[in-house]
Amino acid sequence: MPVETFRATAHLQQGMVVKAKSRSFEITIDEPTSLGGTDEGMNPVELVLCALGACQSIVARVYSRKFDVNLEDFWVEVEGELDTDGFMNKSDVRRGYSDIRYNIHIKTDAPKERVEEFVAFIERTCPVGDTIENPVKLKLNEIIIES
């Protein structure tokens, strides 16, 4: 398959509320009240965790037949450690996650060895996991001053 470009926009609303759009879908993003928001939606770092779990789940669905793993049920619990003092400029620590951990739950009749191979494949194949785990070129294209 060729390289595909995905696009999204994030438009700041009142306070810390952001309306994010991609294709014809929109989500509301906000910070919890403990971080100065109004708690109208998940915050960006929570969405990163959700994106990882969702991506692993989708990979599982797409490839389960190839591994002969019947998915009666599948879910991922994801948690991460983030020092909010970095974002608040209270201390010189990393602003992003220092650790992300997950548990993959699979209800299946497949043998343990096949499930372990399947999970290793999911980890190797998930684009969000790859994006988190490996450096990505992140650059500002341009600053556009609207009049």
Side-chain angles (χ1 to χ4, degrees):
M1 289 179 95
V3 173
E4 188 168 338
T5 301
F6 294 88
R7 291 182 173 79
T9 59
H11 193 167
L12 184 64
Q13 308 294 299
Q14 292 286 41
M16 293 187 200
V17 173
V18 174
K19 297 292 184 182
K21 295 180 182 180
S22 185
R23 295 184 289 137
S24 61
F25 303 99
E26 179 180 280
I27 59 171
T28 299
I29 302 167
D30 194 7
E31 290 290 337
T33 53
S34 63
L35 294 175
T38 54
D39 205 26
E40 290 185 39
M42 289 183 271
N43 71 17
V45 294
E46 291 166 329
L47 285 168
V48 168
L49 299 179
C50 289
L52 176 60
C55 188
Q56 291 174 334
S57 298
I58 291 168
V59 171
R61 176 66 72 209
V62 170
Y63 288 98
S64 62
R65 284 189 181 161
K66 177 181 178 181
F67 283 83
D68 195 25
V69 174
N70 177 34
L71 296 180
E72 292 179 46
D73 202 0
F74 186 97
W75 72 96
V76 183
E77 295 173 307
V78 188
E79 65 181 10
E81 302 296 326
L82 187 145
D83 189 334
T84 56
D85 280 354
F87 170 70
M88 303 302 277
N89 286 313
K90 293 181 178 178
S91 118
D92 189 25
V93 296
R94 181 180 175 155
R95 281 146 175 81
Y97 283 114
S98 58
D99 291 288
I100 295 176
R101 298 171 299 281
Y102 53 91
N103 296 318
I104 294 179
H105 297 257
I106 301 176
K107 184 176 181 184
T108 184
D109 55 3
K112 183 178 182 181
E113 299 77 28
R114 190 176 321 138
V115 171
E116 289 172 345
E117 290 174 19
F118 180 51
V119 168
F121 176 83
I122 291 169
E123 292 179 300
R124 286 192 314 273
T125 307
C126 172
V128 174
D130 179 73
T131 300
I132 293 169
E133 194 168 36
N134 298 295
V136 174
K137 295 176 196 169
L138 180 65
K139 73 172 196 171
L140 172 66
N141 267 343
E142 65 180 301
I143 299 170
I144 301 167
I145 300 175
E146 303 285 346
S147 53

